[in-house]
Amino acid sequence: MATAPNASSLFLVSSPISTAPRARAGSCPPSAQPSLRLRPRPSPAIAAAVQAEHQPAVAATPKPPALPFRVGHGFDLHRLEPNLPLIIGGINIPHDRGCEAHSDGDVLLHCVVDAILGALGLPDIGQIFPDSDPRWKGADSSVFMKEAVKLMHEAGYELGNLDATLILQRPKISPFKETIRSNLCDLLGADPSVVNLKAKTHEKVDSLGENRSIAAHTVVLLMRK
C-alpha cells in the first residue's frame, strides 16, 4: 500500500484501527468466537481524489428535475472464494470464504451506493469507479459510500429511509446484524430508525444457496431538503 496521498494512491488510511486484509488468510475455525473489525475510515486526501475521479462521469449526466422525493434500487453479487476476508457493511465477518472482487468486495455497501446513485439519476458504481482502474484495487468501499452521500446532499436530498436485504447461505448474519447496521448508519449519517437490514438464505438453491456467492438488494427513498 502506498503512503503518498495522491490521485494514483487513493487508499491511504490514517486510522489506528486494524483493517481487514485482502490477502488470503487461514479459515476461521467453527468454534472460534466471532471477532468483528471495523474498516478504517479513509483520509481526506482520498475523498479529494475520488471527487476528481468521478467528476467527468457525473458532469456528463443530465441534471434531474427537483422532485420532492426520488427512489433508487441497488443490486450486487460477488463470488465467494476460500480464505478471503468477508466484508459486509464495512465489518469483517468471520468465515472461511470471502468475496472475490476488484475492491474489498463489500456487497452491501456496493448495492447501497448503486441505490443512491440510481435515485439521483447518476451512472452506476461500475461507471464511476470502474474495476478496470488499478486505483480501485482492494479499495475500502466506504470511499464509494461517502462519495455517494456527498452527491446526494449536493443534489439537495437527504435519506428518507433505506431497506436492504442480504442473501447468503452462510454464515448466519443475525449475530452481526446490529453491528453492520450501526456502521451503515454512521456512513450514511442517518438515524437508525430509517435504516433497515434483513438477511435471507437461498434455501440451498444455485450459487447463493451453495455458499458460492453472496448478493444484496437495497431500496432507498431520498427526500428533498
Side-chain angles (χ1 to χ4, degrees):
M1 182 180 293
T3 57
N6 53 51
S8 63
S9 177
L10 300 181
F11 306 112
L12 173 68
V13 291
S14 55
S15 169
I17 302 173
S18 61
T19 183
R22 285 301 298 162
R24 294 181 181 268
S27 62
C28 176
S31 60
Q33 181 70 22
S35 176
L36 304 183
R37 289 181 291 170
L38 284 168
R39 298 278 284 175
R41 295 289 181 257
S43 71
I46 295 174
V50 167
Q51 184 178 18
E53 169 69 19
H54 79 251
Q55 278 178 340
V58 173
T61 304
K63 188 175 181 180
L67 301 173
F69 63 87
R70 302 182 69 90
V71 176
H73 172 261
F75 169 77
D76 196 32
L77 180 145
H78 285 296
R79 186 174 65 251
L80 291 173
E81 295 290 349
N83 304 323
L84 282 174
L86 180 60
I87 312 296
I88 301 177
I91 306 299
N92 191 338
I93 306 297
H95 192 42
D96 61 354
R97 292 172 178 260
C99 291
E100 182 69 43
H102 187 69
S103 65
D104 65 2
D106 194 323
V107 69
L108 178 59
L109 295 192
H110 290 180
C111 81
V112 170
V113 169
D114 256 351
I116 294 173
L117 295 176
L120 296 173
L122 295 174
D124 63 41
I125 188 172
Q127 290 176 269
I128 296 179
F129 307 107
D131 60 11
S132 58
D133 191 330
R135 287 176 291 181
W136 309 127
K137 181 66 176 176
D140 185 332
S141 293
S142 66
V143 172
F144 312 143
M145 273 286 295
K146 288 182 177 294
E147 193 56 32
V149 170
K150 181 174 179 289
L151 290 169
M152 175 182 71
H153 289 303
E154 287 178 347
Y157 289 90
E158 60 187 358
L159 184 68
N161 75 295
L162 178 150
D163 187 29
T165 303
L166 287 165
I167 307 171
L168 70 167
Q169 196 66 30
R170 296 194 304 274
K172 293 293 185 183
I173 294 299
S174 53
F176 319 116
K177 190 165 74 171
E178 287 308 309
T179 303
I180 295 170
R181 190 168 76 101
S182 175
N183 193 51
L184 185 57
C185 291
D186 183 45
L187 291 169
L188 290 164
D191 188 271
S193 65
V194 302
V195 176
N196 190 44
L197 176 63
K198 308 183 298 293
K200 307 287 185 182
T201 69
H202 215 243
E203 300 296 337
K204 300 183 179 179
V205 176
D206 67 33
S207 65
L208 288 165
E210 294 170 356
N211 195 35
R212 295 188 289 111
S213 64
I214 177 175
H217 289 269
T218 299
V219 176
V220 297
L221 173 67
L222 306 186
M223 307 293 293
R224 193 77 183 168
K225 292 182 181 179

